[in-house]
Amino acid sequence: MRQFPEKLQRRLEARVENNALRSLVVNNEEKVDFFSNDYLGFAKNISLKHITSEILSQEHDVIGATGSRLLSGNGPLYHSVEEQIASLHDQSKALLFNSGYNANVGLFSCVPQRGDIVLYDEYIHASIRDGLQMSLAKSYKFSHNSLGDIKDKVARYKEHHQGEIYVITESVFSMDGDTPDLEALAYFCSENNVYLIVDEAHALGVFGSNGEGLVSKLEIQDKVFAQVVTFGKGLGCHGAAILGSEDLYVYLVNFARSLIYTTAIPLHAVATISAGYQLLQKQSSFFSNQLELLENIKFFKKKLIQLRLEKKFIKSDSAIHCCIVSGNEKVKQVALSIQEEGFQVKPIMSPTVPLGQERLRFCLHSYNTKEQIEKVLKLVAKLID
């Protein structure tokens, strides 16, 4: 075997020196889950498995998609599930992608054109950044959740550029758990002919009467150019969809390379997505899960105040709550101590987050108990005191 390239070796050594080297660790399911994105417990839901099996029994006995959507991988189930997704979110069309990463890379690499301007939140997800790097448009970040900075930049670029302007944000940010003022942003973009794109990865299943996310809850679909929903979080399965107009759907089918040049998402995954959406719309089943999750979020925030931890945590009303513990070494040590007490809580280190903003990331679920929440927060208070 040839020697490993020296430049790559130096990059690994730098990670080791900064105590930031990543590794794959087998998850211990015996510990209390405060780290997965399975907010509603759908990944372990027996009903989801049964509904998925029932859907698959009505389809052809095929394991893989056998080709891209434009070739052999486009059976009737794909279209019926896309209609199901669009209907719940009250959008004209939905287009399935293999993952949230694929959806964002496909969308942002082909939609903004040369001469266009893209304004994106400084904390936007890596998949969106990667898609923008493939675009011919110029991209500029704005201060996190700052509508004022967006307004200033839109006014500046409108004065000097003739192209379109796109604004990109998330309804719930994955590393902070906070949310922008989506309603005000949507109205501003609509009034100023700016195209708004919202990633709803961590809002699906958590917000809205049927778990449809914040865009639908706020009823601003008609002011959003594109909405990205991913199914590996609240829906407990895999895949993603881009929601929008009929024209956007046709455009993506023709120009989104991460859709065109890849084998389609397999039938089993599509059936599981359909089953997940059915569970969301079953009021008795869903509201039980959602209410338990929302009650846990409320209880978690109450305990933060009682334990005088609220200033250590980033303000959040979502299922994601983060405690700032600066320094890779320190946050790793605190996380390890928590894990040794039987709780799965992961450290988020730089460079994933800015230097000095390292944190413990807590994900709340419908199946966490109040006793577990109280115990882990008391442990945090003791360890970071």
Side-chain angles (χ1 to χ4, degrees), residues 32-48:
V32 178
D33 180 3
F34 280 111
F35 75 142
S36 82
N37 294 322
D38 186 25
Y39 305 127
L40 300 176
F42 276 16
K44 308 177 187 73
N45 191 292
I46 299 300
S47 295
L48 189 76

Side-chain angles (χ1 to χ4, degrees), residues 202-242:
H202 293 274
L204 179 63
V206 180
F207 297 102
S209 59
N210 285 308
E212 62 271 32
L214 279 172
V215 169
S216 296
K217 180 182 179 181
L218 296 171
E219 298 182 348
I220 55 174
Q221 299 96 316
D222 62 330
K223 295 174 176 60
V224 173
F225 172 70
Q227 182 181 353
V228 182
V229 291
T230 67
F231 311 128
K233 284 81 175 176
L235 216 64
C237 48
H238 193 72
I242 297 175

Side-chain angles (χ1 to χ4, degrees), residues 296-304 321 364 373 377:
N296 281 342
I297 294 171
K298 183 179 178 181
F299 182 77
F300 190 96
K301 294 175 67 177
K302 177 182 175 182
K303 283 297 168 184
L304 290 183
H321 293 262
L364 302 179
I373 293 171
L377 287 180

Side-chain angles (χ1 to χ4, degrees), residues 208-343:
S209 59
N210 285 308
E212 62 271 32
L214 279 172
V215 169
S216 296
K217 180 182 179 181
L218 296 171
E219 298 182 348
I220 55 174
Q221 299 96 316
D222 62 330
K223 295 174 176 60
V224 173
F225 172 70
Q227 182 181 353
V228 182
V229 291
T230 67
F231 311 128
K233 284 81 175 176
L235 216 64
C237 48
H238 193 72
I242 297 175
L243 312 174
S245 66
E246 174 81 31
D247 287 340
L248 177 62
Y249 175 90
V250 173
Y251 183 84
L252 292 173
V253 168
N254 281 273
F255 294 102
R257 295 168 72 87
S258 62
L259 173 86
I260 299 167
Y261 298 109
T262 190
T263 300
I265 185 171
L267 280 171
H268 185 276
V270 178
T272 309
I273 293 166
S274 179
Y277 270 88
Q278 288 184 44
L279 283 184
L280 288 185
Q281 292 177 289
K282 286 187 176 180
Q283 304 290 320
S284 59
S285 171
F286 173 62
F287 271 114
S288 173
N289 289 19
Q290 186 193 36
L291 286 177
E292 287 172 359
L293 172 62
L294 296 178
E295 279 296 315
N296 281 342
I297 294 171
K298 183 179 178 181
F299 182 77
F300 190 96
K301 294 175 67 177
K302 177 182 175 182
K303 283 297 168 184
L304 290 183
I305 295 172
Q306 291 178 353
L307 295 169
R308 298 180 180 179
L309 286 170
E310 70 271 23
K311 291 184 179 179
K312 299 285 187 179
F313 278 74
I314 298 170
K315 186 177 180 181
S316 168
D317 295 317
S318 72
I320 302 169
H321 293 262
C322 295
C323 177
I324 301 297
V325 182
S326 297
N328 281 347
E329 180 61 32
K330 185 174 181 180
V331 75
K332 283 175 72 174
Q333 290 177 347
V334 173
L336 181 60
S337 297
I338 294 173
Q339 291 163 13
E340 288 173 346
E341 294 296 322
F343 299 98

